[in-house]
């Protein structure tokens, strides 16, 4: 059987189509979800895609947090429902307090678009089980506000609990603390990632096909449930 | 008419590259007074009549939940005549 994975469209989402395509390529059924409805349409996991929800007004992800669909996602996520937030989706997860910390302006102030090498450091989350420990992957990074910031206490907690799932390698793109590219919650069902795995699923258009593993990982995890 | 002002600033320990960029642009224009610059946001909120304590309490709540992100920012609520 195949699993239904929701992809939320907010006003200003850009990468919802690519995220849905990645879900389908991985063997799942992509289900479009709309910000203004609280209906999760019986999906078994959800992807919050990249883009500029609500024009990134106020702060990135700050207004999306109050969308009706987010109420349903927050409630479900508290019960172990898998959620992947990519780029703007990561910002929404932080603003929703599903993940700690915040994403701020890149330290060099430039919007950055590059193929970025990452090291996968936690292969126990719902979205990363298909990777090998410390596997290096290459996927696109494109954002203006990707600098992961948090206080020392939070940073120590993330590091000591192994909740840094991916770290930038060879290049510091944005001044993130400890070169953090992605983190998870304690339970490992919620993952936020700044770079874009959904843009690296086919050799024709991506720098690699490494990104697909995030989507196949969650499908395998759902089978095991 | 009185306005409720909410000022939001990044916490001191959070890197502020925008403020840094402004600080490094000032001397290029001959302004040499700045040791450092930090940039924030200001919200001007109009209400009918003078703000009541109840309204101020609501604004306080809004400042904490929406206007600022307490993870990285602090805020101040004031009234301006």
């Amino acid at each position: 059987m195949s699993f239904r994975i929701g992809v939320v469209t907010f006003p200003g989402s850009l990468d919802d189509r690519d995220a849905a395509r990645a879900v389908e390529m991985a063997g799942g059924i992509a289900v479009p979800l709309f910000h203004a409805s609280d209906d999760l349409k019986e999906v078994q996991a959800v992807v919050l895609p990249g883009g500029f929800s609500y024009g990134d007004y106020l702060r990135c992800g700050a207004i999306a947090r109050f969308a009706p669909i987010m109420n349903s996602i927050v409630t479900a996520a508290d019960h172990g429902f898998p959620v992947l937030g990519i780029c703007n989706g990561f910002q929404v997860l932080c603003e929703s307090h599903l993940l700690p910390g915040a994403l701020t302006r890149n330290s060099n102030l430039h919007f950055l678009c590059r193929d970025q090498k990452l090291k996968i450091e936690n292969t126990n989350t719902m979205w990363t089980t298909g990777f090998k420990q410390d596997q290096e992957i290459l996927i696109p990074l494109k954002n203006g506000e990707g600098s992961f910031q948090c206080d020392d206490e939070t940073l120590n907690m993330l590091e000591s609990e192994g909740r840094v799932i991916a770290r930038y390698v060879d290049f510091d793109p944005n001044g993130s603390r400890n070169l953090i590219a992605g983190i998870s919650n304690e339970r490992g069902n919620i993952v936020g990632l700044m770079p874009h795995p959904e843009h690296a699923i086919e050799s024709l258009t991506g720098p690699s096909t490494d990104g697909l593993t995030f989507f196949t990982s969650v499908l395998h995890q759902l089978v095991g449930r | 008419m009185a306005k409720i002002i909410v000022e939001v600033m990044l916490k001191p320990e959070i890197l502020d590259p925008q403020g840094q960029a402004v600080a490094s642009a000032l001397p290029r224009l001959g302004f040499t007074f700045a040791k450092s610059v930090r940039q924030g946001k200001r919200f001007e909120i109009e209400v009918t009549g003078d703000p009541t304590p109840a309204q101020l309490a609501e604004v306080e709540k809004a400042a904490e939940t929406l206007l600022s992100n307490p993870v990285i920012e602090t805020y101040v609520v004031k009234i301006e005549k």
Side-chain angles (χ1 to χ4, degrees), chain A residues 67-127:
Chain A
I69 196 79
M70 283 309 298
N71 292 332
S72 306
I73 291 173
V74 168
T75 309
D78 285 342
H79 292 95
F81 180 79
V83 181
L84 173 64
I86 303 165
C87 194
N88 192 225
F90 186 8
Q91 293 161 342
V92 174
L93 289 176
C94 288
E95 283 284 345
S96 307
H97 307 305
L98 287 174
L99 291 175
L103 284 311
T104 64
R105 188 62 66 96
N106 291 348
S107 53
N108 61 11
L109 290 171
H110 293 291
F111 186 98
L112 208 65
C113 184
R114 70 191 304 271
D115 295 334
Q116 173 71 46
K117 204 194 272 185
L118 306 176
K119 187 157 93 174
I120 302 294
E121 298 197 3
N122 179 338
T123 58
N124 295 318
T125 78
M126 297 284 290
W127 300 89

Side-chain angles (χ1 to χ4, degrees), chain A residues 58-59 62 65-66 95 97 101-102 104-107 109 149, chain B residues 14-15 17-18 21 41 43 65-69 71-73:
Chain A
L58 194 59
R59 293 177 308 278
R65 169 196 170 188
F66 296 99
E95 283 284 345
H97 307 305
T104 64
R105 188 62 66 96
N106 291 348
S107 53
L109 290 171
Q149 300 296 322
Chain B
I14 302 291
L15 181 72
Q18 293 183 100
K41 291 189 190 102
F43 300 86
T65 49
L66 176 64
L67 303 182
S68 79
N69 177 353
V71 175
I72 47 167
E73 293 168 325

Side-chain angles (χ1 to χ4, degrees), chain B residues 15-74:
Chain B
L15 181 72
D16 177 16
Q18 293 183 100
Q20 285 176 351
V22 173
S24 64
L26 285 170
R28 290 204 291 274
L29 299 171
F31 297 115
T32 54
F33 51 78
K35 188 169 157 230
S36 76
V37 178
R38 293 187 65 82
Q39 185 180 321
K41 291 189 190 102
R42 174 186 160 105
F43 300 86
E44 299 187 348
I45 302 160
E46 282 185 0
V47 293
T48 313
D50 281 338
T52 64
Q55 282 174 331
L56 284 173
E58 286 280 277
V59 169
E60 190 86 20
K61 217 190 276 177
E64 201 183 327
T65 49
L66 176 64
L67 303 182
S68 79
N69 177 353
V71 175
I72 47 167
E73 293 168 325
T74 56

Side-chain angles (χ1 to χ4, degrees), chain A residues 8-175:
Chain A
V8 179
T9 300
F10 296 102
S13 290
L14 295 178
D15 300 323
D16 41 348
R17 298 284 181 92
D18 274 23
R21 191 171 152 72
V23 166
E24 300 268 344
M25 290 273 296
I29 300 164
V31 179
L33 299 177
F34 198 51
H35 69 102
S37 161
D38 61 4
D39 183 2
L40 288 178
K41 298 187 181 167
E42 297 177 346
V43 296
Q44 281 110 350
V46 95
V47 179
L48 301 178
F52 300 88
S53 59
Y54 300 87
D56 270 355
Y57 291 164
L58 194 59
R59 293 177 308 278
C60 305
I63 300 178
R65 169 196 170 188
F66 296 99
I69 196 79
M70 283 309 298
N71 292 332
S72 306
I73 291 173
V74 168
T75 309
D78 285 342
H79 292 95
F81 180 79
V83 181
L84 173 64
I86 303 165
C87 194
N88 192 225
F90 186 8
Q91 293 161 342
V92 174
L93 289 176
C94 288
E95 283 284 345
S96 307
H97 307 305
L98 287 174
L99 291 175
L103 284 311
T104 64
R105 188 62 66 96
N106 291 348
S107 53
N108 61 11
L109 290 171
H110 293 291
F111 186 98
L112 208 65
C113 184
R114 70 191 304 271
D115 295 334
Q116 173 71 46
K117 204 194 272 185
L118 306 176
K119 187 157 93 174
I120 302 294
E121 298 197 3
N122 179 338
T123 58
N124 295 318
T125 78
M126 297 284 290
W127 300 89
T128 55
T129 47
F131 292 105
K132 292 191 197 75
Q133 182 67 31
D134 295 336
Q135 184 178 340
E136 291 193 348
I137 66 170
L138 185 69
I139 63 177
L141 174 71
K142 44 162 197 158
N143 60 65
E145 311 218 346
S147 180
F148 181 80
Q149 300 296 322
C150 61
D151 58 28
D152 291 343
E153 197 187 332
T154 306
L155 190 66
N156 290 337
M157 176 189 73
L158 289 172
E159 293 288 359
S160 65
E161 294 177 2
R163 287 166 53 185
V164 175
I165 65 127
R167 227 182 282 269
Y168 301 114
V169 176
D170 295 344
F171 178 75
D172 176 3
N174 50 33

